[in-house]
Amino acid sequence: MLNKLKKALKAGFKKLASWAYRRVLKRRGSRILSETGSDYLFTVVVPIYNVEPYLEETLDSIVGQTVGFRDNIQLVLVNDGSPDDSGAICRRYLERYPENVVYVEQENAGVGAACNAGLALARGAFVNFMGADDKWS
């Protein structure tokens, strides 16, 4: 099934491939969740410091993933003492997606400490760290 999916993607059948991928993910994902005891398939930890101009685009790219944000992705936002208005953006996403978003504020301790704080809150079977000025397509 995965080989057919790869061929469909190469041939440009993105809609069909996306549907097939979600079907495979749903079947395998539920097995992974039961085996690991995780609440989500993926956790994305985003350490945040002084990234207000980019943050909303980054978060929208995570929410817009075809894997299904509400069912499969936990988003952990760690504000590392950012002096800009990044916190307000994070609170908006927390309000919009209360089941999926975890928001933490801490004194500035560096990106490593922010990642570790986010990792401690991860409830996904797989964890990804994403820069707050990056975006997924």
Side-chain angles (χ1 to χ4, degrees), residues 96-111:
R96 216 177 285 163
Y97 306 102
E99 298 295 318
N100 298 75
V101 176
V102 176
Y103 176 59
V104 178
E105 292 181 342
Q106 65 181 31
E107 283 189 33
N108 183 262
V111 69

Side-chain angles (χ1 to χ4, degrees), residues 106-128:
Q106 65 181 31
E107 283 189 33
N108 183 262
V111 69
C115 287
N116 286 336
L119 184 59
L121 299 168
R123 295 183 355 228
F126 303 99
V127 178
N128 183 69

Side-chain angles (χ1 to χ4, degrees), residues 14-75:
K14 290 184 179 183
K15 202 172 227 181
L16 174 64
S18 178
W19 172 82
Y21 180 74
R22 283 194 307 270
R23 225 175 120 199
V24 169
L25 183 66
K26 188 170 186 169
R27 209 174 319 133
R28 290 186 181 171
S30 60
R31 190 184 81 225
I32 291 169
L33 292 177
S34 67
E35 288 176 3
T36 62
S38 301
D39 296 326
Y40 296 93
L41 206 50
F42 305 101
T43 293
V44 181
V45 177
V46 183
I48 297 162
Y49 184 81
N50 222 15
V51 290
E52 181 184 1
Y54 320 104
L55 185 57
E56 199 153 1
E57 188 175 7
T58 297
L59 300 180
D60 284 342
S61 79
I62 296 168
V63 170
Q65 291 300 301
T66 58
V67 71
F69 177 74
R70 289 189 188 266
D71 295 330
N72 295 308
I73 300 175
Q74 175 196 28
L75 180 58

